[in-house]
Amino acid sequence: MATLNASIDENVEADDKKLKAPNCKAHKPSPLKQRKLEVSYCKQHNRKRIKHMTSLATALKDIDHLIKSKKTKYESGPQGLQAHCTLAIQSHLRIVVKNQQFLIDVSERAAESHGFAADWDGRLLRSWTCEYTKTQTLPVSKCGCHIKVASLLNDPAIATELRAYVRSNKWAMNPAKLAQFTQKELIPSAADTYLKHIINNKIPKGLKRYLKYELFPHIQLKVAHGISLSTAHRWLHLKGF
C-alpha cells in the first residue's frame, strides 16, 4: 500500500512539472540594425544653419538697397504703415545677422523700437521677416480687403450719380464768384486761392450734403450722419477728380 501511494505521488509531481514547463523555447531578440548616414546629422544641421544665415544676410542687403533707393514706392507713402514695417524688418534682420541672435525677445525689441506692440506685433514681425526672406515681398495692409466689405462706389448707378453731381455746378456756394472764375475774370492769385478752396472744401462738403439728403434717401439707405469729409475726399480721388 505504501509503495502504491509513493508511485502515485511521483506521477502527480511529474505531471505538474510537465504543465509548468513552457511549450516552446523563447528566442532572444535580434540586435538592432544601425544605419550609417553618408553625412552626419551634425554636419547636416550646420549646413542648414549656414544656408539660413546666408539667406538672411542676402535679405538684409536687399532691404538696405530697397530703403535707400529713391525709386521705391510704398503703398501709403514714405510715412505710411508699409514704410514703418519695412524699417522694422530691416532692424530685425540686422540684429539677427550682426549679433547672431534668434530669440523671440529680438523681434519684440525691434517691433517696440518702431512703435509697434511687443507681443503681437513682434510675432507679426517674425512672419514678415520670414516672408521677405523667401519671396522678397513687403507686407501689405489688408484693411478693407475682407470679403464682407462692400463699397457704394461698386454700384454703377451710384458711381454715375456721383460723377454727374461733381461735374455739375450744384455744389457751388457762391454762383457769382464761380461765374467770374469760369469766365477768367479773377486775377491769377485770387483764382488759385478760389480753386484750392473749391477742391478742398466746397466740392467735398457739397458731395457730403448731396449723398446725405438726396442720394441716400432716394435709394432707401438710412445713414445716421452721412459720410465724413475724408471719405468724400477719398471717393473723389478714386473717381479721378
Side-chain angles (χ1 to χ4, degrees), residues 33 44-45 48 55 113 145 162 181 183 192 195 204 210:
K33 294 182 179 179
Q44 291 181 15
H45 180 71
K48 289 180 180 179
S55 63
S113 65
C145 298
L162 185 147
F181 177 76
Q183 294 175 6
D192 292 340
L195 181 60
Y210 171 72

Side-chain angles (χ1 to χ4, degrees), residues 118-134:
D119 188 12
W120 175 249
D121 290 327
R123 189 183 307 171
L124 286 177
L125 180 56
R126 292 193 295 274
S127 64
W128 296 339
T129 305
C130 182
E131 184 68 21
Y132 183 80
T133 303
K134 291 180 180 179

